Amino acid sequence: MPIHRRRGWSLPESRATSEGLFRRRRLLRVAAGLGTIALAGSAAAVWFKHDDSAARDDDPSAYRYPVARNESFGVPAPLTPLRHAATYNNFYEFGHDKKIWRTARTLPLRPWTITVGGLVERPFEIAVDELLGRVALEERVYRHRCVEGWSMIVPWSGFPLRALAEMSRPLAGAKYLVMRALHKPELLRGQHDFNHAWPYTEALAIDEATHELAFVATGLYGAPLPKPNGAPLRLVLPWKYGFKSIKSVVAFEFAESRPRTFWQTLQPNEYGFWANVNPAVDHPRWSQATEKPLGASERIPTRLYNGYGEWVAGLYADRQDEKLFF
Ligand SMILES: Nc1nc2c(c(=O)[nH]1)N[C@H]1C(S)=C(S)[C@@H](COP(=O)(O)O)O[C@H]1N2
Ligand SMILES: [Mo]
């Protein structure tokens, strides 16, 4: 398999870990994987018609959708079909390849409790369904750009991340928001891989976290989030590379300092803390100038801040001494 010749957009994120690690894993997977790769495309189409994790009827929050669209941040086009968005994913809790939609069926949707704490006046714990009743849900169509060079445009439903800060009231010493995803190796198969620092952890500076664009998605295409996209709730940070948009979050913690994130632990020089999209700054091993929209045949140019500069560039004006891009 001429893996070194695959195009940038098809590179699994695992290649962006150390090459040696990747090769060892790949040797183990290659025998089992070769047969299923060819079938995956057609199987995805069949599954999409018949599997209820795509229909999402079993999700107790289904009655809340669809919700009204907020167009203040533009309505980019063309939309990426749901069948692509929900069958080509990065979700390492279920494995290293893009076709995790089948294994992601074991993601437990309820009970699902979220804790919001750390340096706040009012720490709290809340069941996801209660949280959904307390926030104002809206739809936003956002561009999503993965650091690997693929992208999509989809309508997410959810609420601004800053709502969690309003509910918990961060103290003056809180400089970052740290987020952790579900850790349940008995159900999330990928967590048997001890080369990774589970749970998946990400963090934002507090002004990024409370920025109007930072969004918690609880739905996709007018229905609850499909499991492969990080049900029951995940972040969407459209101006940053996709790895910052943590899925299946269980904990939000306001903190004084930056934690070591999942990707930084693995490869600090390839997954910078700020991770803002910039076509002019190459990844150490590939160009970031263009991207491949899922389902499209042509690559398109990538834009600074993924096209969201008019809203977010100001966040970085006083941070020019930091490595904002990589
Ligand atoms: N918990 C968790 N969140 C995650 C990831 C992951 O592996 N685990 N992958 C990230 C990466 S690299 C990307 S590009 C996006 C992909 O989101 P999507 O599959 O819904 O397109 O999720 C991000 N959030
Ligand atoms: Mo990504």
Side-chain angles (χ1 to χ4, degrees):
M1 200 160 143
I3 199 152
H4 56 289
R5 310 208 66 171
R6 289 162 78 181
R7 290 195 288 170
W9 59 268
S10 68
L11 289 172
E13 209 126 19
S14 48
R15 281 212 74 194
T17 67
S18 93
E19 286 285 331
L21 247 188
F22 173 71
R23 279 204 199 90
R24 265 182 279 131
R25 288 188 198 132
R26 191 178 158 260
L27 278 175
L28 294 172
R29 283 200 311 271
V30 84
L34 279 177
T36 47
I37 286 164
L39 287 172
S42 54
V46 172
W47 167 82
F48 224 79
K49 287 198 196 97
H50 303 295
D51 187 272
D52 30 72
S53 51
R56 298 167 279 172
D57 297 333
D58 60 335
D59 190 305
S61 66
Y63 72 94
R64 297 184 188 272
Y65 305 96
V67 294
R69 183 175 286 181
N70 173 357
E71 303 192 342
S72 334
F73 310 108
V75 185
L79 290 184
T80 304
L82 178 61
R83 67 174 191 282
H84 293 305
T87 60
Y88 185 96
N89 303 94
N90 273 327
F91 203 167
Y92 275 57
E93 282 82 342
F94 295 102
H96 299 141
D97 61 89
K98 302 293 177 241
K99 296 292 166 190
I100 52 76
W101 47 265
R102 210 193 286 273
T103 32
R105 283 177 190 157
T106 60
L107 180 66
L109 293 187
R110 300 291 188 282
W112 191 282
T113 307
I114 295 136
T115 60
V116 181
L119 300 175
V120 296
E121 245 172 69
R122 298 198 303 196
F124 62 91
E125 213 181 274
I126 194 168
V128 69
D129 292 300
E130 196 189 329
L131 177 64
L132 290 174
R134 284 179 56 181
V135 293
L137 293 175
E138 60 182 56
E139 182 176 84
R140 296 185 185 187
V141 181
Y142 273 166
R143 279 185 288 272
H144 171 95
R145 170 63 156 81
C146 175
V147 71
E148 297 163 336
W150 56 269
S151 65
M152 64 180 183
I153 299 174
V154 290
W156 303 99
S157 311
F159 60 92
L161 177 57
R162 62 154 68 132
L164 297 180
E166 283 158 10
M167 291 161 80
S168 61
R169 301 201 193 134
L171 301 169
K175 301 207 166 53
Y176 297 94
L177 174 60
V178 182
M179 295 152 292
R180 293 190 187 86
L182 184 67
H183 187 211
K184 234 185 214 318
E186 64 275 25
L187 294 176
L188 279 46
R189 261 161 57 168
Q191 292 182 332
H192 292 230
D193 183 339
F194 297 117
N195 295 311
H196 292 292
W198 305 108
Y200 194 103
T201 303
E202 259 306 339
L204 295 167
I206 198 153
D207 55 349
E208 296 179 315
T210 53
H211 188 276
E212 57 183 349
L213 271 186
F215 199 58
V216 177
T218 59
L220 180 63
Y221 271 104
L225 266 186
K227 291 179 179 182
N229 297 95
L233 83 171
R234 56 91 55 82
L235 252 61
V236 191
L237 305 160
W239 72 101
K240 292 182 172 290
Y241 288 117
F243 67 85
K244 279 257 158 190
S245 293
I246 181 172
K247 295 175 169 182
S248 302
V249 187
V250 294
F252 295 86
E253 190 191 318
F254 290 89
E256 201 190 329
S257 51
R258 291 181 203 173
R260 274 165 71 84
T261 67
F262 182 82
W263 289 108
Q264 286 177 314
T265 307
L266 220 51
Q267 199 63 288
N269 61 328
E270 300 199 357
Y271 298 97
F273 175 81
W274 300 98
N276 295 311
V277 174
N278 188 336
V281 180
D282 291 344
H283 184 277
R285 285 181 288 116
W286 57 82
S287 161
Q288 293 290 27
T290 64
E291 64 200 52
K292 170 82 163 53
L294 294 184
S297 49
E298 300 291 318
R299 296 184 73 86
I300 57 169
T302 288
R303 290 186 266 177
L304 182 61
Y305 295 113
N306 203 23
Y308 294 93
E310 74 178 275
W311 293 283
V312 299
L315 286 173
Y316 307 102
D318 296 330
R319 287 179 165 139
Q320 297 303 319
D321 49 334
E322 299 260 9
K323 211 178 165 206
L324 300 172
F325 312 104
F326 62 96

